[in-house]
Amino acid sequence: MGWSKRGNGKSYDSLNGYGTIIGFLSGKILDYAERIRKCKFCDSGRKKDDHDCRKNFQGSAKAMEASAGAELINNSSILKEANLEARVLIGDEDSCTIAAVRRGNPKTIFKLADENHLKKNFSRDLWKLSSFKEIKKRSIDHIKKCFGYALAQNMGDAQNLAKTIRNIPDHLYDNHENCGSWCSRRSGSKEQTILLTNLSLFDKLSALCEEYAANANKFSIPASSQANESFNNIMAHKSPKNICYSRSESSSYRLASSVCTKNDGDSCIVEIRQKLQLSPGRHTLFYTKQLDAKRQKRALDAKLPAAKKRRIIKTQEREELRKNNENSEGVQYKSNCGLSQDCEDLEAFDESLINGPNIQISAETCNLVFFDLETSG
Ligand SMILES: [Zn+2]
Ligand SMILES: [Zn+2]
């Protein structure tokens, strides 16, 4: 599911959203649906049938995902035509789409967790424990790595996966009795890099791992919703989130165009033009071919193990560079750093540089100039 307006993590208030179902094997979009809450023509008092009205939803932005998901899986005309029934749903754990789907479907629908969202949620749960001193970025990265190994090495074996996940806290607390062959500490060949000692943290970690282990059958089969994210990127390109297209039929056309690009590449433009009996255009032909070739090459390259390794190394290098730079520069950017009078981090600065000369400024004594630094946008 994608929304056409950015959410800030707490509230989502997009006027429209779009959902797609993507085949696990083909990676292509099978069907798509959209939920539109507003129509500028209806709002200006025009009748619903005198314009191309696309408004089809009343509820909140968050309810769009479940609604579109249930429609796509239970009532998709394309799936029905092909005599297909979806029985396994791969998705994130954030929405109640699966509940909506099951409500409208008499058959048993299985749910698999998406690997990327799963890892992200696991990391978020770990950060919640950051009140413990031993939970730092370095230890979290290590725990995440253990979790990743557990997933990768127990594909399709829920029982072993659950066992491995339950064993993670023991491994962190230097108890390697039940570790698998992957653990280099077991054979004593390497020193333990991350060693935790806090016992109440051990209980919390065990509870967390137990929670994931109990659901191991949901993610023992590796399933990724990466294709959805790539589609969301195409859509963000054709319908930028900072411009509102969702009050007219424009957003629907942009969505349909994104679906074509995702499934057939940019050369679909040429076919569409031919269908409309327009000349395809020499430059368009050349340009779209070039774009498609580039995209295919990039997709193939990105899957290679060498490319993955390179990405990890690059990320580490950037992180190192950031740390080094920030250490040598001192505080350069911090929310409200201009307002905080006694901010400790700013001690390195000459205070008068931040706070300015001690003069009372008022509208009578000065010509005031207002400006707005929209840095977050
Ligand atoms: Zn309308
Ligand atoms: Zn171990």
Side-chain angles (χ1 to χ4, degrees), residues 98-121:
I98 185 66
V101 171
R102 282 179 180 149
R103 216 177 292 135
N105 198 319
K107 297 238 168 90
T108 318
I109 304 277
F110 298 95
K111 169 85 201 303
L112 294 180
D114 160 49
E115 203 181 319
N116 294 344
H117 281 90
L118 184 78
K119 280 185 191 161
K120 225 183 269 175
N121 284 349

Side-chain angles (χ1 to χ4, degrees), residues 348-368:
F349 276 109
D350 182 355
E351 229 176 77
S352 65
L353 283 180
I354 292 280
N355 296 330
N358 194 13
I359 303 171
Q360 288 293 321
I361 298 176
S362 71
E364 284 81 40
T365 57
C366 301
N367 290 324
L368 295 181

Side-chain angles (χ1 to χ4, degrees), residues 166-225:
R166 281 195 189 100
N167 186 49
I168 290 177
D170 278 334
H171 167 76
L172 294 167
Y173 282 75
D174 205 13
N175 179 8
H176 305 287
E177 217 170 281
N178 298 316
C179 286
S181 54
W182 49 270
C183 176
S184 52
R185 258 72 76 200
R186 193 178 173 212
S187 51
S189 66
K190 265 187 188 170
E191 218 174 282
Q192 179 130 3
T193 41
I194 300 288
L195 178 67
L196 306 180
T197 48
N198 189 327
L199 287 179
S200 54
L201 175 62
F202 180 82
D203 293 341
K204 295 261 182 203
L205 277 175
S206 301
L208 177 64
C209 289
E210 180 58 45
E211 199 182 304
Y212 279 84
N215 287 304
N217 58 338
K218 283 188 193 161
F219 49 80
S220 61
I221 296 171
S224 157
S225 61

